[in-house]
Amino acid sequence: MKKIYHIMAILIVAVTVVSCTHNNGDIGEYFGTWKLENISVDGNADSAYGGDIFWKFQTSVICMERVTELHDTENRWGTWAQIGSDVLRMDFTHHDDTHPEGSDMYSPFPETYIPNGVTDLAIMSMSGSSMVLGYTKDDGTVIKYNLKKW
């Protein structure tokens, strides 16, 4: 009898932990942490990008996280939505009582080339372990993002 209670307790904890990580339900393939492996600009690898940014998706929130050389992190917050089958909309127009819209906390990292505001990224390919997104800047420059599930 004691063994049954022990097994039930483990199952309850496991279900609780899993359900807490999927706040407001399953969002599919996006859920979790993705490493921004590389960025290309007009087909050329962007050598200035250090490979230190992660995109974390949960519910409709995205956190871009940079891991520094000292293993500290810097976070940037926005929201996201998939529009149709081929667009990932990033929204960096948010604010709070101490951080106005456009502040670092609510802006993408500059090295991603994603501007403040609402930006549509083309979903070029998507699988459970990799994602390729594209963005064309106003001047015609094409940015491509290769992300891997982490």
Side-chain angles (χ1 to χ4, degrees), residues 5-99:
Y5 286 124
H6 183 67
I7 291 170
M8 287 178 57
I10 290 171
L11 288 173
I12 289 170
V13 169
V15 168
T16 302
V17 168
V18 170
S19 66
C20 289
T21 63
H22 286 77
N23 185 23
N24 292 331
D26 185 2
I27 60 171
E29 292 180 300
Y30 292 101
F31 178 78
T33 301
W34 295 78
K35 182 176 188 207
L36 180 55
E37 293 279 314
N38 58 64
I39 299 171
S40 65
V41 179
D42 286 334
N44 300 308
D46 184 359
S47 60
Y49 173 61
D52 54 357
I53 295 177
F54 295 82
W55 294 13
K56 297 180 172 189
F57 293 89
Q58 186 170 346
T59 314
S60 62
V61 175
I62 182 165
C63 172
M64 285 188 178
E65 180 178 79
R66 180 187 347 215
V67 179
T68 69
E69 290 180 14
L70 299 174
H71 302 288
D72 291 329
T73 59
E74 298 174 52
N75 295 315
R76 305 293 180 94
W77 298 92
T79 53
W80 68 276
Q82 183 171 335
I83 309 300
S85 62
D86 58 352
V87 172
L88 180 66
R89 179 165 290 159
M90 306 288 270
D91 183 347
F92 288 95
T93 61
H94 305 285
H95 61 87
D96 62 37
D97 290 342
T98 57
H99 300 91

Side-chain angles (χ1 to χ4, degrees), residues 36-49 111-113 124 133 135 137 140-146:
L36 180 55
E37 293 279 314
N38 58 64
I39 299 171
S40 65
V41 179
D42 286 334
N44 300 308
D46 184 359
S47 60
Y49 173 61
E111 58 266 41
T112 65
Y113 301 96
M124 301 169 79
L133 303 171
Y135 165 60
K137 294 173 51 174
T141 304
V142 177
I143 312 297
K144 189 167 121 182
Y145 308 94
N146 289 292

